[in-house]
Amino acid sequence: MNDKGWKQKGKGLGIMILLLVGVVCCCISFQRGRQTAGGQDEKQGGISIFLKKQMERAYFQIPAFLEEGESEAGNRKKLADCMLGELLIFRYADQETNGEREQEDAIMAELLLEKEGIDEDYKNIEEENLDYGKDALHIENSILEEMERENSLHNSNEERVNEENTLDQAVEGPDETEEALSQEFRRASYPAYTYDWEESWDYEGLLSNFFAVDSSTLLSEDYLSLDKLLHEDLTVDKEVDGPQILIYHTHASESFIDSVEGDPSTTIVGAGDKLARLLKEEYGFNVLHHTGVYDEVREDAYANALPEIEKILQENPTIEVVIDLHRDAVSGDRKLVMDLQGRPTARFMFFNGLSYIRKSGSIEYLENPYIQDNLAFSFQAQVAANEYYPGIARKIYLKAYRYNLHLRPKSMLIELGAQNNTVEEIMNACDPLAHILAIVLDDVIS
């Protein structure tokens, strides 16, 4: 055998020896981690478990929900795989490692999409002590009450003028006239409350006044700049030949307390119809309302919707605004409703996904280059809601995943009421919601 042959054989032998050493080290580590019985303190075993979980998170960005229900054997195998995978000599010797990692990435991406599909409801709000009650704006109750009082006075004055004009022309009886007036929505022509943007708005001030951050994620200070949030131009070109706004429903099956089974007009789809009609007829937008159903299997809903919505956007390149309209799910006897101009009106919430898990960082499988734009859209809509219809909008809710908000810079997920609202309350809420969107997208005031 020549020198070259001996060198190749020696190199291969060295690889095998190093690989064997790595395997032995892993086995010893696992054995020590399991030696918690026979009088040893339970804390030592806890340290072993802790280290294993930290390794999992560090190498795989495994969120907490994937740790539940896993067997001890599965955890051991996963840790062994990740430790061996990080040995440089092993990666050099095993040419199939990259293929395995690609397969693992695909599996992890699928699991995250499934989690995203079932993780949008907010049953943990009560546990997080997030109050969406009287202080919905996260300001002092006395200030909110004053805002609502001013809004009520403003509405009363408009109602009185409208009533006088209507009575002069009425041919119906007074009772019928009064009933007709109480059912008519009137746009607020000026703010009931105005923010002072000249004062100092730091990270904590913006966060506490406008946002509720779920325990699953974190909001970076880089995103929370008043200039970036408030002054981004979000107006759309209404002169283009084609739709400017797309409304669709990832969870088209969501219904309300008195929805009629089999009648989509009484579900969130019906609310989408009304919102689209208002934006068209009252504010002059060209709106496409897509009524596809993607939540027959709820955990697959976002994954199922994505290719279809991408196709719609490809076929309609003029669309600038993408709205995914949902209804929330709340626990207990809480009800998201308020009296607005004498009409029972569901309250709503703007929602953002940050593609960021608190424990493990950015989710590379769910990248969104438009997080800042998404936040600006929600923020400006929240400001308009707070100023023109105080109390109607809950705080902007932030969660860890992406929720298909990466399709356009002006993408928004809206939670309109909840499962225990009536259809009437939901439909009534579409009127102020359409006005708020028009204020942001077209500088419409009244």
Side-chain angles (χ1 to χ4, degrees):
M1 183 178 293
N2 56 28
D3 291 343
K4 183 176 181 180
W6 280 110
K7 288 180 179 178
Q8 289 178 342
K9 186 174 181 180
K11 183 177 181 180
L13 182 60
I15 291 173
M16 294 303 296
I17 292 173
L18 288 173
L19 177 58
L20 181 59
V21 170
V23 172
V24 171
C25 289
C26 289
C27 292
I28 293 172
S29 296
F30 285 126
Q31 184 63 25
R32 289 179 176 175
R34 296 176 62 192
Q35 291 176 349
T36 60
Q40 286 194 7
D41 188 64
E42 290 183 359
K43 292 183 179 179
Q44 292 179 348
I47 292 173
S48 174
I49 295 172
F50 172 77
L51 290 174
K52 287 196 293 183
K53 290 186 179 296
Q54 293 306 309
M55 290 291 290
E56 290 173 5
R57 291 173 180 141
Y59 284 100
F60 289 108
Q61 292 191 341
I62 295 179
F65 74 90
L66 291 178
E67 298 172 359
E68 298 175 0
E70 292 183 340
S71 66
E72 183 182 357
N75 281 330
R76 289 204 303 272
K77 183 180 183 303
K78 189 184 301 176
L79 182 56
D81 288 343
C82 77
M83 291 181 69
L84 291 173
E86 288 306 309
L87 291 175
L88 296 178
I89 198 68
F90 178 76
R91 288 206 300 249
Y92 174 81
D94 185 358
Q95 298 300 318
E96 296 183 358
T97 298
N98 290 335
E100 292 174 356
R101 287 193 173 186
E102 289 176 3
Q103 183 180 9
E104 178 189 291
D105 285 349
I107 293 172
M108 181 62 71
E110 183 178 351
L111 288 171
L112 285 169
L113 285 172
E114 289 181 1
K115 175 62 177 174
E116 181 182 48
I118 61 175
D119 193 48
E120 172 217 326
D121 295 335
Y122 309 105
K123 295 185 176 67
N124 67 332
I125 284 179
E126 309 254 348
E127 298 174 5
E128 295 296 321
N129 296 318
L130 297 176
D131 184 4
Y132 288 99
K134 189 65 176 175
D135 58 342
L137 308 184
H138 210 280
I139 58 179
E140 293 182 9
N141 287 344
S142 59
I143 299 178
L144 177 57
E145 289 170 0
E146 179 64 18
M147 291 164 59
E148 291 178 335
R149 187 187 68 81
E150 292 181 10
N151 195 33
S152 177
L153 289 174
H154 161 63
N155 292 331
S156 297
N157 290 334
E158 282 196 347
E159 183 177 353
R160 179 180 54 78
V161 173
N162 290 335
E163 185 175 359
E164 290 174 354
N165 292 337
T166 305
L167 286 173
D168 290 340
Q169 304 173 9
V171 295
E172 303 288 344
D175 292 339
E176 294 176 353
T177 302
E178 183 178 352
E179 181 179 355
L181 282 171
S182 66
Q183 298 301 315
E184 181 182 356
F185 171 76
R186 298 170 303 283
R187 302 182 203 171
S189 56
Y190 57 84
Y193 174 84
T194 303
Y195 286 98
D196 181 5
W197 300 118
E198 298 300 321
E199 66 178 79
S200 176
W201 288 87
D202 58 10
Y203 175 85
E204 291 299 330
L206 290 169
L207 190 67
S208 62
N209 275 273
F210 296 97
F211 297 94
V213 184
D214 188 81
S215 60
S216 65
T217 192
L218 287 173
L219 180 60
S220 168
E221 292 191 27
D222 294 338
Y223 291 125
L224 218 54
S225 157
L226 182 61
D227 185 61
K228 292 178 181 178
L229 294 172
L230 186 65
H231 298 133
E232 180 172 343
D233 183 3
L234 298 173
T235 56
V236 302
D237 184 2
K238 295 170 68 175
E239 304 301 321
V240 297
D241 185 16
Q244 302 105 27
I245 300 174
L246 168 66
I247 298 174
Y248 76 102
H249 313 273
T250 298
H251 294 150
S253 301
E254 290 176 330
S255 59
F256 306 98
I257 194 169
D258 58 348
S259 294
V260 178
E261 186 174 356
D263 183 1
S265 69
T266 63
T267 68
I268 195 64
V269 173
D273 280 336
K274 179 170 183 181
L275 182 61
R277 177 176 58 81
L278 289 169
L279 289 170
K280 288 178 184 178
E281 297 177 1
E282 300 292 329
Y283 301 100
F285 294 99
N286 190 339
V287 184
L288 174 61
H289 182 208
H290 175 64
T291 59
V293 178
Y294 303 106
D295 60 339
E296 293 176 347
V297 179
R298 189 174 177 86
E299 58 265 31
D300 296 336
Y302 285 96
N304 291 340
L306 181 56
E308 296 300 320
I309 303 306
E310 288 178 326
K311 180 181 178 182
I312 291 173
L313 294 177
Q314 185 176 10
E315 294 172 349
N316 299 273
T318 57
I319 292 176
E320 296 184 52
V321 180
V322 178
I323 297 174
D324 187 6
L325 188 63
H326 294 244
R327 67 107 172 97
D328 202 353
V330 295
S331 59
D333 58 355
R334 297 174 62 245
K335 190 173 182 181
L336 306 175
V337 66
M338 66 177 291
D339 182 283
L340 181 65
Q341 302 175 1
R343 307 188 332 158
T345 304
R347 300 172 67 209
F348 46 80
M349 178 171 70
F350 306 112
F351 176 99
N352 287 94
L354 299 178
S355 295
Y356 187 94
I357 295 176
R358 178 187 293 264
K359 295 181 179 179
S360 55
S362 298
I363 308 175
E364 61 186 48
Y365 312 100
L366 299 174
E367 183 181 3
N368 180 0
Y370 302 128
I371 292 176
Q372 184 68 69
D373 304 281
N374 295 166
L375 287 169
F377 192 10
S378 294
F379 182 82
Q380 292 185 30
Q382 184 78 14
V383 169
N386 291 354
E387 291 190 336
Y388 285 85
Y389 305 100
I392 198 169
R394 305 154 70 195
K395 289 175 291 185
I396 302 168
Y397 202 84
L398 306 179
K399 267 203 160 181
Y401 301 97
R402 185 175 65 184
Y403 308 97
N404 291 340
L405 295 173
H406 65 298
L407 298 173
R408 286 290 187 273
K410 290 188 277 284
S411 291
M412 174 181 285
L413 193 156
I414 304 174
E415 297 285 349
L416 181 56
Q419 82 280 5
N420 55 7
N421 281 106
T422 66
V423 175
E424 178 190 14
E425 292 163 354
I426 295 296
M427 296 303 174
N428 286 345
C430 291
D431 293 292
L433 177 57
H435 186 208
I436 289 163
L437 292 172
I439 290 173
V440 176
L441 298 174
D442 195 35
D443 290 330
V444 171
I445 303 301
S446 60

